[in-house]
Amino acid sequence: MKRNLFNLLIAVGAVLGVLAATPSYAAPVEVGDVVTFAYAANHPAGFPGGAFTISKSGSQLFDSFCLEYNEYISIPNGKYLVYDISNRAYDGGTDASEIPNLSGDPISSETALLYSRFLSGSYRDSESQRILQYAIWILEDERTYAQISYDAEVAALIASTAGASGNYGIGVMNIVKMVQDASGNWVESKELAQSQLVYVPEPGTLLLLGSGLLGLALTGARKKFRK
């Protein structure tokens, strides 16, 4: 019995050790991945923003929204290299404070909260996607109310984020455009493309789960010893 408990504690401890060593940003994509884009379900026809479905190796991963206004992606034939996953967008955009932008432009807590709601199933119809994208551009200083439609709806959506704090497990996927060389191979072009929101569960959440598993294991072991 003691040996079984000892082995169990070693196994759980190993799991916790792996979780503790997990990078701060463990997204569905990794730096160095090549991704493509398609319009997500219910995408507003003719609309330049999201939602977009991001895929890797032909497998759909998640839906996302643009952070910048003056950066672009090509649908459906463009390929992009993930060069950074963090909490900030790099270069581009219309916010004058980003030029030059050596440290990146951190996303707002309000943007992170809205995108976390989207991932939970909200704002999925066509009009809601449009309003959500406008709200993100407003929050990230990419557009003003005078430059968008649905300003009342956008203002109401932004007002719903009052008191937002933290990143809600949301980060930024920064990408660069890939091009085909003379041999037809896809290579990195160094040209920045549209920054995208991405879900990035942090190790603290995973450690909490691991600690819970350890507690359950110990509780079960105690019951066995009482018998």
Side-chain angles (χ1 to χ4, degrees), residues 28-29 36-43 49-56 59-66 73 114-125 129 132-133 136 170-171 173 195-200:
V29 289
T36 58
F37 293 82
Y39 293 117
N42 301 322
H43 179 274
F52 302 106
T53 298
I54 297 173
S55 298
K56 179 178 72 174
S59 297
Q60 296 183 353
L61 301 178
F62 61 99
D63 291 344
S64 188
F65 286 81
C66 302
I73 53 177
L114 288 176
Y115 183 54
S116 70
R117 291 176 183 171
F118 172 81
L119 293 178
S120 297
S122 299
Y123 318 132
R124 293 286 174 164
D125 63 272
Q129 287 185 31
L132 175 55
Q133 180 66 85
I136 291 171
I170 304 302
M173 181 182 76
S195 300
Q196 300 284 324
L197 290 164
V198 62
Y199 176 52
V200 285

Side-chain angles (χ1 to χ4, degrees), residues 1-2 4-10 12-13 16 210-226:
M1 180 68 69
K2 290 184 177 180
N4 290 338
L5 175 60
F6 180 70
N7 291 336
L8 177 61
L9 291 176
I10 290 178
V12 174
L16 291 174
S211 299
L213 292 176
L214 176 59
L216 289 174
L218 292 175
T219 300
R222 288 176 60 189
K223 288 181 179 180
K224 286 182 179 181
F225 275 122
R226 286 174 181 173

Side-chain angles (χ1 to χ4, degrees), residues 26-95:
V29 289
E30 299 178 350
V31 172
D33 284 345
V34 175
V35 297
T36 58
F37 293 82
Y39 293 117
N42 301 322
H43 179 274
F47 186 58
F52 302 106
T53 298
I54 297 173
S55 298
K56 179 178 72 174
S57 301
S59 297
Q60 296 183 353
L61 301 178
F62 61 99
D63 291 344
S64 188
F65 286 81
C66 302
L67 280 169
E68 314 286 11
Y69 187 79
N70 283 348
E71 291 181 346
Y72 305 94
I73 53 177
S74 176
I75 297 176
N77 299 316
K79 289 189 177 184
Y80 300 88
L81 179 71
V82 179
Y83 83 92
D84 173 76
I85 297 174
S86 62
N87 70 337
R88 58 194 62 213
Y90 290 93
D91 298 310
T94 62
D95 182 0

Side-chain angles (χ1 to χ4, degrees), residues 135-211:
I136 291 171
W137 280 333
I138 292 286
L139 288 166
E140 300 305 313
D141 296 321
E142 294 293 307
R143 297 279 85 185
T144 66
Y145 281 105
Q147 295 172 311
I148 66 170
S149 305
Y150 302 89
D151 53 337
E153 292 90 341
V154 172
L157 183 58
I158 291 176
S160 75
T161 65
S165 177
N167 67 5
Y168 300 92
I170 304 302
V172 182
M173 181 182 76
N174 292 289
I175 57 177
V176 293
K177 183 179 180 181
M178 300 189 72
V179 296
Q180 286 184 292
D181 61 17
S183 301
N185 299 313
W186 288 91
V187 296
E188 181 182 351
S189 71
K190 308 297 183 182
E191 178 184 342
L192 288 166
Q194 179 62 252
S195 300
Q196 300 284 324
L197 290 164
V198 62
Y199 176 52
V200 285
E202 295 185 348
T205 303
L206 298 177
L207 282 172
L208 183 61
L209 173 62
S211 299

Side-chain angles (χ1 to χ4, degrees), residues 89-112:
Y90 290 93
D91 298 310
T94 62
D95 182 0
S97 67
E98 297 180 30
I99 305 170
N101 185 358
L102 302 179
S103 60
D105 180 23
I107 62 170
S108 67
S109 295
E110 291 81 3
T111 290

